[in-house]
């Protein structure tokens, strides 16, 4: 696991970022990778809008929704291999202004970490390629097979960050309903953005703040946490 030693001074606010569809601008990459696997399965390519409407974890269940039938083990292995091969050919790109945003937050004393359900080793490599490893206190991906929910990983992630983390002062920024569920499970504040793998209509079902950019997510999330702290004081 990648992490840096935290100081003993409690941070006012911690931001836990999601990766795919959030910091990483890879919606188009994911759609292209999925579409590359569909002809062999007898299906036509899908649009970005359809992808955002149907995407869910685990990915094998996502294929079931796209195809209207379940994949057998041989089909799933071939599709997963082809999907990852196409995805790995594409360069890692961050959302517009993301690195500058993160640097500004660091300068303000906001601690930042990253939690994803992407495979850990691949995640660490991609974050390094994006040039933001040094801006993050910790980077955690999933160490084993695919999991159905991010909530247990979120609890473990906050615990690993150390005793200075206060869930009530922790902002979780993601692009899926699962990110919101994971944040609520630990008592953190979720804000979702619409520029990722899930569409706005679907995200709205989470009942949490919804914005269009990471910059808006940070501004709104920090304002909400500050307001809560003032109210509790």
């Amino acid at each position: 696991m990648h992490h840096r030693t935290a100081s003993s001074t409690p941070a006012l606010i911690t931001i836990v970022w999601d990766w795919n569809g959030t910091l990483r601008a890879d919606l188009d990459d994911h759609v292209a990778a999925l579409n590359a696997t569909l002809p062999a399965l007898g299906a036509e390519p899908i649009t970005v809008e359809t992808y955002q409407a149907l995407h869910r974890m685990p990915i094998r269940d996502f294929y079931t929704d796209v195809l209207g039938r379940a994949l057998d083990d041989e089909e799933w292995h071939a599709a997963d291999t082809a999907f990852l091969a196409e995805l790995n050919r594409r360069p890692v790109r961050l959302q517009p202004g993301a690195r500058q945003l993160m640097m500004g937050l660091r300068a303000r004393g906001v601690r930042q970490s990253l939690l994803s359900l992407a495979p850990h080793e691949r995640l660490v490599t991609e974050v390094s390629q994006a040039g933001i490893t040094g801006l993050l206190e910790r980077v955690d991906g999933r160490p084993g097979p695919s999991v159905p929910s991010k909530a247990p990983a979120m609890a473990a992630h906050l615990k690993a960050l150390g005793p200075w983390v206060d869930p009530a002062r922790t902002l979780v920024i993601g692009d899926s309903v699962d990110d919101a569920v994971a944040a609520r499970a630990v008592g953190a504040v979720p804000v979702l953005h619409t520029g990722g793998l899930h569409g706005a209509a679907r995200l709205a079902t989470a009942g949490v703040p919804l914005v269009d950019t990471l910059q808006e997510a940070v501004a709104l999330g920090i304002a909400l946490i500050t307001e809560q702290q003032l109210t509790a004081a």
Side-chain angles (χ1 to χ4, degrees):
M1 303 291 184
H2 164 78
H3 61 92
R4 296 192 299 115
T5 302
S7 71
S8 59
T9 304
L12 176 63
I13 289 176
T14 302
I15 295 179
V16 179
W17 296 98
D18 174 53
W19 181 236
N20 296 109
T22 301
L23 283 177
R24 182 172 178 177
D26 55 358
L27 171 59
D28 291 342
D29 296 340
H30 277 256
V31 176
L34 177 75
N35 283 338
T37 73
L38 293 181
L41 298 170
E44 296 292 323
I46 65 171
T47 64
V48 169
E49 291 74 21
T50 299
Y51 186 101
Q52 287 183 311
L54 296 180
H55 179 269
R56 66 182 174 114
M57 300 294 285
I59 295 297
R60 188 167 180 169
D61 291 344
F62 176 32
Y63 269 96
T64 298
D65 294 343
V66 170
L67 300 172
R69 67 176 179 86
L71 297 179
D72 62 35
D73 289 345
E74 185 177 341
E75 286 179 317
W76 162 241
H77 178 72
D80 190 43
T81 300
F83 178 91
L84 291 176
E86 178 65 26
L87 206 57
N88 289 339
R89 280 196 287 268
R90 295 172 174 269
V92 177
R93 295 172 294 115
L94 294 177
Q95 296 283 3
R99 191 171 193 277
Q100 294 87 339
L101 175 64
M102 295 176 72
M103 290 175 68
L105 288 166
R106 183 180 185 180
R108 292 165 60 186
V110 176
R111 294 183 183 273
Q112 300 170 83
S113 66
L114 192 154
L115 174 64
S116 171
L117 294 185
H120 180 72
E121 294 304 324
R122 190 178 86 206
L123 176 67
V124 169
T125 298
E126 291 178 355
V127 171
S128 177
Q129 290 171 350
I132 59 171
T133 303
L135 298 173
L136 296 161
E137 297 284 345
R138 188 174 183 91
V139 175
D140 282 331
R142 61 175 170 82
S146 182
V147 293
S149 169
K150 200 172 189 175
M154 183 66 73
H157 181 74
L158 294 192
K159 183 176 181 180
L161 281 171
W164 50 265
V165 175
D166 178 359
R169 294 183 177 184
T170 299
L171 170 60
V172 174
I173 298 177
D175 69 323
S176 75
V177 173
D178 193 39
D179 290 315
V181 171
R184 283 173 159 170
V186 298
V189 175
V191 176
L192 303 178
H193 80 108
T194 61
L197 305 185
H198 290 184
R202 199 157 152 218
L203 295 177
T205 65
V208 304
L210 189 60
V211 297
D212 293 329
T213 68
L214 298 187
Q215 289 79 0
E216 291 173 296
V218 166
L220 179 57
I222 290 177
L224 290 172
I225 290 173
T226 302
E227 182 181 345
Q228 286 180 6
Q229 296 301 307
L230 290 173
T231 302

